[in-house]
């Protein structure tokens, strides 16, 4: 039993965190957008394009000049990150232009972004690298390396606390720590700053914001820029911060939609968003650790275990987890009424 | 020397708080404001009265920067001021309480007050300052509200106070209120007027838009009357009377020509007994309304919109529910609980031409042959059995209806939204009238309808009456009510303010009743 606690549970928790991070970042990205009154089902597409841009540019930057790269060594991963964020912001601005300026249908714009992303990543990937849409395997300075926190080695042998610190808390890459920092930061922005107040207001009643003398359009664009940045981080984590070490076709695998489900589950609040995505991460971790699970009475097959996060998504979206009230003005373009 | 004295004299007189010069504004082909000029003295309470669509709200929305005037200019305290958006209006010291409150429902009172008037990037200092300021304003003006209450948890009266507090917190010197008592209980309205008088004592200038003459006489110093986009009169309240204002509001109208023989009134077909409706906010919309409707008559219900007519139609037609009272059809009570629906009414021979034909009368993107059958689509002649629609018959039926009602072009495959307003209304009328109902409810039959179609529609209504049917006509157009009705009820604030015969009354008297004044009671 103790063995299970110290080893299996710790190991599960550790991989739950790793699986949760891209979900968490995408979920927070969606939070900014939806709190400002713009539905965003294009999280998936933005993440995918960011993952590709990150993988591709990190590969170019890390390759030696002799091989046709830019020979930037340890800086390569940062070039990749910058490219990922830039690409994601661009897509987010297309969504913003369609749904804020042109007052188009936000769901259709989001779907279009997802389709565009699925196609363009493979097309450009094949053109650049000729590896069937994949980017080359990333190594060393082309990837985010795990960070060993201070005293982790020294405390490693202290019972329970030491192993929690060493195995669970230490040893992740920078984006993981950044992700949790952003949860706290988002809470602070949302509930303690002027920008947060206005953003929450514009998602509930843009008329109130407009008559208070604040530009609805500027506010919503600002929120979508943040959405772009966070989706960029989520995508970069997938290609630059996981064992995949590079971009693979459709590597987001529906995570953008799971993040949306988590957002609803979390009722559009940042701290619950963290717990919701950690829950999804845990299910994914269980699915990948136990191929089959023997419960004594029945044996759950591996396919079922892997489907767990998706099953939970369906359960949440079907409304089985209580009433979730979305921001009231969500999905509606703002037009001054007559 | 005289010149100096004159200049000195001018300096003594404070510039008016608001000066509007030649304001015009059109929405498409509708001229909402025509060359309007108006001055409001500093420290005055100024009323603007007028019927629906007279252009009152548009004018004030221009002053608040919500719309841009096509021409004209604005001076605030004698200084020419360009107001492009609400931000400019706030900077000029103007605050507005909209008819539909501009509040964030799941924010606290404090957050709503602070929104847009924050002091810095973080909220803490602003919220602390606003809390202190709200306390001061509450003490000074009887404007107490719990700063930590959520908007969705407080009553409409309190929500309105929050709107006033928002304006005062932004240092507004000029406060505009659009139909402020429309949603208030009488007690709340009295309280509001006390607040307004307090504000006036502190030197604030107040503009109040309303259609209720009693309020104007009670609370204002001066009043402007608007009619069809024009300002017909501006006068000191003390030197006018409700009768004068009502006349200026309604105007001397040319009566519509309608060919109409005397009504052959038969037995009572519908009785409304003590009907009361309370809305979701707890405001009474209909208060113990009773009347009878007889065969062969057109009973007209006049009134400014929002005085209970819509709720009355909704209950009788089965769309809305009433809390108490009875509706009897041929002596038998019909269901007015929330379980009732429009289909049950149709089965009882009650047809309905809804007030809002776009929302309730038609399905705009659907074709005419579908629209001419809706509501009756389960009738055997439209069906081929097994739940299948008899499209061929529906098409034929629509074509015949379009011919009889002169709907142009008579092509059943055209979608409803491709027709003009008049032709759309004829589609609805054709559907309801051709079903031969015992009672036809008609709301705003000619709203947004061209002159030619108006005549045709009026004639159809009269023909139906002459066929011995009972017609309940609700309209905000007074001349329409006068021209068509055999009997007129005037509604105000959810009650029947008076009943008149068209031949024994005039628009002046009806205008007074519509504004809540009973001329007989006064005499």
């Amino acid at each position: 039993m103790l063995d299970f606690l110290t080893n299996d549970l710790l190991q599960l928790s550790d991989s739950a965190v790793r699986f949760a991070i891209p979900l968490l970042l995408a979920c927070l990205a969606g939070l900014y957008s939806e709190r400002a009154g713009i539905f965003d089902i294009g999280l998936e597409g933005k993440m995918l394009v960011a993952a590709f841009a990150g993988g591709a540019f990190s590969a170019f930057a890390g390759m030696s000049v002799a091989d046709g790269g830019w020979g930037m060594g340890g800086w390569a991963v940062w070039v990749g990150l910058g490219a990922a964020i830039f690409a994601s912001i661009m897509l987010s601005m297309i969504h913003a232009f369609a749904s804020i300026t042109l007052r188009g249908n936000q769901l259709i714009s989001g779907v279009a972004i997802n389709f565009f992303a699925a196609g363009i990543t493979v097309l450009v990937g094949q053109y650049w690298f000729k590896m069937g849409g994949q980017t080359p395997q990333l190594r060393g300075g082309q990837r985010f390396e795990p960070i060993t926190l201070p005293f982790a080695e020294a405390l490693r042998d202290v019972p329970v606390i030491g192993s929690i610190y060493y195995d669970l808390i230490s040893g992740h890459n920078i984006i993981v720590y950044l992700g949790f920092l952003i949860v706290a930061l988002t809470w602070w922005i949302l509930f303690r700053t002027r920008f947060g107040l206005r953003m929450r207001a514009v998602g509930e009643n843009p008329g109130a914001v407009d008559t208070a003398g604040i530009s609805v359009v500027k506010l919503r664009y600002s929120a979508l820029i943040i959405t772009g940045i966070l989706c960029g981080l989520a995508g970069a984590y997938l290609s630059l911060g996981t064992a995949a070490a590079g971009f693979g076709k459709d590597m987001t695998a529906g995570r953008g939609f799971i993040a949306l489900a988590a957002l609803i589950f979390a009722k559009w609040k940042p701290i619950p968003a963290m717990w919701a995505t950690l829950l999804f991460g845990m299910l994914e971790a269980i699915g990948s650790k136990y191929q089959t699970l023997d419960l004594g009475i029945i044996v759950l097959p591996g396919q079922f275990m892997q489907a767990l996060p998706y099953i939970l998504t369906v359960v949440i979206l079907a409304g089985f987890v209580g009433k979730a009230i979305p921001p009231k003005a969500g999905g509606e373009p703002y037009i001054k009424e007559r | 020397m005289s010149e100096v004295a004159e200049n000195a004299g001018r300096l003594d007189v404070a510039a008016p708080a608001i000066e509007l010069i030649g304001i015009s504004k059109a929405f498409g082909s509708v001229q909402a404001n025509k060359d309007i000029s108006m001055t409001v003295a500093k420290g005055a309470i100024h009323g603007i009265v007028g019927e629906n669509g007279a252009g009152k709200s548009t004018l004030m929305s221009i002053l608040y920067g919500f719309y841009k005037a096509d021409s004209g200019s604005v001076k605030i305290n004698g200084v020419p001021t360009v107001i492009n958006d609400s931000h400019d209006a706030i900077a000029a010291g103007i605050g507005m309480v909209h008819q539909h409150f501009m509040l964030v429902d799941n924010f606290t009172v404090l957050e709503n007050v602070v929104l847009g008037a924050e002091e810095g990037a973080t909220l803490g200092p602003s919220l602390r300052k606003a809390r202190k300021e709200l306390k001061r304003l509450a003490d000074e003006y009887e404007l107490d509200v719990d700063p930590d209450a959520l908007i969705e948890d407080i009553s409409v009266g309190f929500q309105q106070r929050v709107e006033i507090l928002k304006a005062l917190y932004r240092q507004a010197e000029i406060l505009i209120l659009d139909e402020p008592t429309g949603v208030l209980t009488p007690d709340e309205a009295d309280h509001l007027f006390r607040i307004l008088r307090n504000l006036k004592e502190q030197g604030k200038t107040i503009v109040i838009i309303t259609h209720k003459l009693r309020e104007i006489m009670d609370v204002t110093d001066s009043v402007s009357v608007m009619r069809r986009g024009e300002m017909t009169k501006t006068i000191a309240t003390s030197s006018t009377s409700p009768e004068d204002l009502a006349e200026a509001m309604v105007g001397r109208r040319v009566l519509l020509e309608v060919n109409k023989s005397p009504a052959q009134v038969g037995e009572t077909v519908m009785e409304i007994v003590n009907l009361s409706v309370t809305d979701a906010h707890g405001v009474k919309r209909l208060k113990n309304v009773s009347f009878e409707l007889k065969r062969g008559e057109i009973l007209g219900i006049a009134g400014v919109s929002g005085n209970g007519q819509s709720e009355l139609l909704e209950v009788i037609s089965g769309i809305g529910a009433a809390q108490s009272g009875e509706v009897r059809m041929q002596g038998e009570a019909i269901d007015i609980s929330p379980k009732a629906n429009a289909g049950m009414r149709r089965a009882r021979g009650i047809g309905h031409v809804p007030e809002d034909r776009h929302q309730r009368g038609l399905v705009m993107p659907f074709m005419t042959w579908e629209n001419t059958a809706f509501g009756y689509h389960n009738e055997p002649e439209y069906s081929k059995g097994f739940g299948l629609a008899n499209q061929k018959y529906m098409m034929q039926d629509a074509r015949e209806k379009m011919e009889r009602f002169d709907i142009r072009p008579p092509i059943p495959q055209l979608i409803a939204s491709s027709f003009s307003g008049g032709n759309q209304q004829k589609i609805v009328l054709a559907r309801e009238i051709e079903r031969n109902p015992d009672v036809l409810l008609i709301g705003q039959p000619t709203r947004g309808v061209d002159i030619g179609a108006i005549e045709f529609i009026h004639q159809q209504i009269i023909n139906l009456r002459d066929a011995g049917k009972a017609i309940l006509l609700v309209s905000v157009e007074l001349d329409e009510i006068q021209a068509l009705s055999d009997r007129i009820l005037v509604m105000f604030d959810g009650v029947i303010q008076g009943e008149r015969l068209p031949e024994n009354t005039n628009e002046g008297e009806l205008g007074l009743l519509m504004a809540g004044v009973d001329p007989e009671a006064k005499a």
Side-chain angles (χ1 to χ4, degrees):
Chain A
M1 192 63 203
L2 192 72
D3 191 50
F4 170 76
L5 278 182
T6 48
N7 284 329
D8 285 26
L9 194 61
L10 216 53
Q11 208 182 357
L12 271 178
S13 304
D14 182 63
S15 47
V17 168
R18 289 169 206 274
F19 284 123
I21 283 301
L23 295 176
L24 175 61
L25 288 164
C27 185
L28 292 172
L31 186 146
Y32 280 92
S33 177
E34 303 216 339
R35 278 283 190 163
I38 306 290
F39 284 158
D40 194 353
I41 58 166
L43 295 174
E44 174 87 0
K46 285 197 274 286
M47 253 193 331
L48 191 64
V49 164
F52 171 74
F57 279 81
S58 181
F60 281 135
M63 261 187 265
S64 66
V65 180
D67 291 338
W70 309 333
M72 295 175 74
W75 292 101
V77 68
W78 299 103
V79 172
L81 179 65
I85 291 176
F86 178 80
S88 171
I89 290 178
M90 284 300 109
L91 276 192
S92 195
M93 289 300 97
I94 291 172
H95 185 53
F97 185 68
S99 48
I100 304 170
T101 308
L102 300 182
R103 295 172 188 155
N105 185 308
Q106 298 167 10
L107 296 183
I108 291 176
S109 168
V111 170
I113 283 173
N114 288 339
F115 277 111
F116 172 76
I120 195 80
T121 47
V122 178
L123 180 77
V124 177
Q126 174 65 15
Y127 179 70
W128 280 349
F129 304 107
K130 312 216 166 18
M131 294 169 63
Q134 296 212 320
T135 61
Q137 192 75 19
L138 301 177
R139 292 178 200 84
Q142 294 172 313
R143 301 184 50 202
F144 288 110
E145 299 287 354
I147 298 169
T148 306
L149 294 181
F151 312 116
E153 291 290 353
L155 293 171
R156 190 176 181 176
D157 295 325
V158 178
V160 189
I161 296 174
S163 46
I164 287 177
Y165 187 65
Y166 181 83
D167 288 325
L168 182 58
I169 299 177
S170 176
H172 296 287
N173 66 46
I174 181 118
I175 295 187
V176 175
Y177 299 112
L178 200 60
F180 287 105
L181 196 68
I182 290 172
V183 172
L185 193 67
T186 298
W187 179 86
W188 185 76
I189 288 174
L190 212 52
F191 298 109
R192 289 290 181 271
T193 69
R194 173 175 62 192
F195 175 71
L197 183 78
R198 292 177 173 189
M199 196 180 81
R200 282 185 290 139
V202 85
E204 290 289 331
N205 184 357
V209 170
D210 193 9
T211 52
I214 311 162
S215 164
V216 171
V217 170
K218 272 189 210 159
L219 256 181
R220 288 189 162 167
Y221 266 95
S222 314
L224 288 203
I225 288 175
I226 299 176
T227 299
I229 294 171
L230 295 181
C231 274
L233 282 173
Y237 178 84
L238 288 178
S239 58
L240 306 178
T242 63
F247 175 81
K249 183 171 179 277
D250 288 334
M251 80 181 304
T252 44
R255 285 189 177 82
F257 295 101
I258 294 180
L260 272 183
L263 184 62
I264 294 168
F265 196 21
K267 300 194 159 65
W268 294 268
K269 292 191 178 103
I271 313 281
M274 178 181 76
W275 296 118
T277 49
L278 281 171
L279 172 65
F280 277 107
M282 182 56 96
L283 291 179
E284 212 174 331
I286 291 170
S288 67
K289 183 171 165 61
Y290 303 102
Q291 292 305 311
T292 56
L293 195 59
D294 192 347
L295 293 177
I297 314 157
I298 48 164
V299 179
L300 296 173
Q303 288 86 345
F304 178 81
M305 301 305 292
Q306 281 169 10
L308 276 178
Y310 301 94
I311 292 169
L312 181 64
T313 304
V314 170
V315 168
I316 288 170
L317 293 181
F320 289 125
V321 288
K323 205 172 165 205
I325 302 160
K328 225 177 270 166
E332 292 289 323
Y334 178 60
I335 303 163
K336 281 188 187 191
E337 60 182 325
R338 227 224 93 161
Chain B
M1 199 201 113
S2 68
E3 217 178 275
V4 174
E6 210 179 290
N7 281 339
R10 266 187 204 156
L11 286 175
D12 283 346
V13 182
I18 308 169
E19 215 174 324
L20 301 178
I21 306 143
I23 300 280
S24 291
K25 171 79 186 172
F27 293 101
S29 62
V30 181
Q31 191 74 36
N33 287 162
K34 268 177 247 170
D35 191 27
I36 288 180
S37 297
M38 180 183 96
T39 33
V40 179
K42 215 171 261 180
I45 301 185
H46 185 88
I48 300 181
V49 286
E51 290 184 287
N52 301 109
K56 301 165 293 189
S57 294
T58 304
L59 185 66
M60 289 302 110
S61 294
I62 287 170
L63 183 56
Y64 193 64
F66 221 50
Y67 299 132
K68 223 172 139 62
D70 299 334
S71 61
S73 59
V74 177
K75 282 185 190 174
I76 301 296
N77 299 322
V79 183
T81 310
V82 179
I83 299 173
N84 282 326
D85 52 26
S86 307
H87 188 262
D88 294 344
I90 294 166
I94 302 171
M96 182 152 179
V97 177
H98 293 83
Q99 193 176 356
H100 305 287
F101 301 146
M102 294 296 182
L103 298 170
V104 182
D105 289 342
N106 61 359
F107 275 23
T108 64
V109 169
L110 205 57
E111 286 175 318
N112 268 290
V113 169
V114 161
L115 179 67
E118 307 89 344
E119 310 266 303
T122 54
L123 280 182
S126 308
L127 291 175
R128 275 190 293 277
K129 188 193 152 193
R131 188 182 292 277
K132 226 187 272 168
E133 182 69 7
L134 283 195
K135 177 128 186 31
R136 190 185 70 75
L137 291 170
D139 295 343
E140 204 170 333
Y141 301 110
E142 288 189 63
L143 273 166
D144 29 7
V145 196
D146 173 10
D148 298 310
L150 291 178
I151 295 297
E152 58 200 5
D153 293 338
I154 62 180
S155 73
V156 186
F158 276 98
Q159 291 178 4
Q160 188 176 56
R161 283 187 213 174
V162 178
E163 283 283 26
I164 297 174
L165 285 167
K166 263 168 74 178
L168 295 178
Y169 185 71
R170 287 160 174 74
Q171 319 274 320
E173 287 300 316
I174 297 167
L175 190 61
I176 306 165
L177 298 109
D178 190 355
E179 297 284 3
T181 57
V183 291
L184 299 185
T185 64
D187 279 353
E188 287 173 330
D190 287 343
H191 190 112
L192 172 69
F193 292 144
R194 277 207 304 281
I195 293 167
L196 294 185
R197 289 194 192 98
N198 274 340
L199 288 168
K200 181 195 156 169
E201 266 166 40
Q202 304 293 322
K204 311 273 185 200
T205 307
I206 292 161
V207 179
I208 161 169
I209 301 174
T210 182
H211 64 264
K212 296 181 183 167
L213 291 181
R214 204 189 306 139
E215 292 172 359
I216 291 288
M217 299 310 289
D218 272 1
V219 77
T220 64
D221 301 305
S222 54
V223 56
S224 296
V225 184
M226 288 189 73
R227 186 170 80 224
R228 300 186 181 189
E230 288 178 273
M231 194 151 274
T232 52
K233 191 174 198 166
T234 296
I235 192 168
T237 311
S238 54
S239 55
T240 187
S241 65
E243 288 80 7
D244 284 348
L245 291 177
E247 195 187 310
M249 213 167 112
V250 178
R252 291 250 170 256
R253 299 178 197 234
V254 186
L255 279 191
L256 288 170
E257 281 298 322
V258 176
N259 278 326
K260 191 170 103 167
S261 54
Q264 305 293 320
V265 180
E267 87 265 25
T268 298
V269 58
M270 181 183 271
E271 286 163 279
I272 310 291
V273 188
N274 287 329
L275 202 63
S276 292
V277 171
T278 307
D279 71 9
H281 298 291
V283 177
K284 285 207 155 196
R285 292 289 168 193
L286 221 52
K287 302 167 190 166
N288 290 321
V289 168
S290 301
F291 61 86
E292 291 183 351
L293 186 59
K294 294 184 168 68
R295 286 196 184 281
E297 73 164 348
I298 298 175
L299 177 60
I301 295 191
V304 177
S305 76
N307 279 293
Q309 307 96 310
S310 305
E311 287 77 6
L312 180 67
L313 280 184
E314 282 172 9
V315 171
I316 302 178
S317 65
I319 299 170
Q323 278 73 25
S324 64
E326 236 175 69
V327 176
R328 290 192 205 119
M329 182 74 185
Q330 281 150 340
E332 204 181 313
I334 57 176
D335 187 6
I336 50 169
S337 74
K339 277 178 280 177
N341 63 53
M344 291 159 65
R345 297 295 195 267
R346 293 205 160 96
R348 297 296 299 259
I350 303 173
H352 182 208
V353 177
E355 290 185 290
D356 186 341
R357 64 174 165 271
H358 292 173
Q359 290 295 323
R360 287 180 166 167
L362 295 165
V363 182
M364 298 305 280
F366 278 34
M367 285 180 264
T368 308
W369 63 270
E370 296 167 307
N371 272 299
T372 48
F374 278 145
Y376 303 104
H377 49 275
N378 287 327
E379 296 291 321
E381 67 264 36
Y382 289 137
S383 166
K384 279 204 291 200
F386 308 109
L388 295 173
N390 187 346
Q391 283 203 18
K392 214 168 138 195
Y393 176 75
M394 287 165 89
M395 198 81 79
Q396 177 60 28
D397 176 60
R399 202 171 288 121
E400 285 165 15
K401 282 177 179 165
M402 294 179 95
E403 236 142 69
R404 278 197 292 275
F405 278 78
D406 192 27
I407 298 164
R408 282 179 257 182
I411 303 167
Q413 290 91 340
L414 285 179
I415 60 170
S417 60
S418 63
F419 289 94
S420 71
N423 282 307
Q424 288 174 357
Q425 187 69 317
K426 286 194 222 166
I427 294 173
V428 182
L429 274 167
R431 178 180 70 213
E432 300 301 330
I433 288 179
E434 300 254 315
R435 277 279 136 189
N436 207 16
D438 291 319
V439 171
L440 184 63
L441 313 169
I442 308 182
Q444 319 300 348
T446 55
R447 180 180 280 171
V449 167
D450 54 294
I451 305 275
I454 288 179
E455 233 168 87
F456 183 88
I457 289 169
H458 284 172
Q459 202 52 53
Q460 292 300 322
I461 294 172
I462 286 165
N463 291 350
L464 193 66
R465 174 198 80 160
D466 291 343
K469 309 298 180 184
I471 290 157
L472 184 67
L473 167 74
V474 169
S475 175
V476 294
E477 300 292 339
L478 200 47
D479 39 6
E480 180 167 79
I481 292 280
Q482 284 183 284
L484 287 179
S485 307
D486 300 310
R487 203 150 55 93
I488 300 173
L489 299 177
V490 183
M491 285 194 73
F492 175 78
D493 203 18
V495 298
I496 294 189
Q497 189 75 11
E499 177 175 342
R500 297 288 184 274
L501 293 175
E503 56 272 24
N504 299 337
T505 187
N506 55 42
E507 54 276 354
E509 189 186 25
L510 292 173
L512 278 179
L513 286 167
M514 282 164 65
V517 184
D518 193 337
E520 282 175 2
K522 208 183 154 198

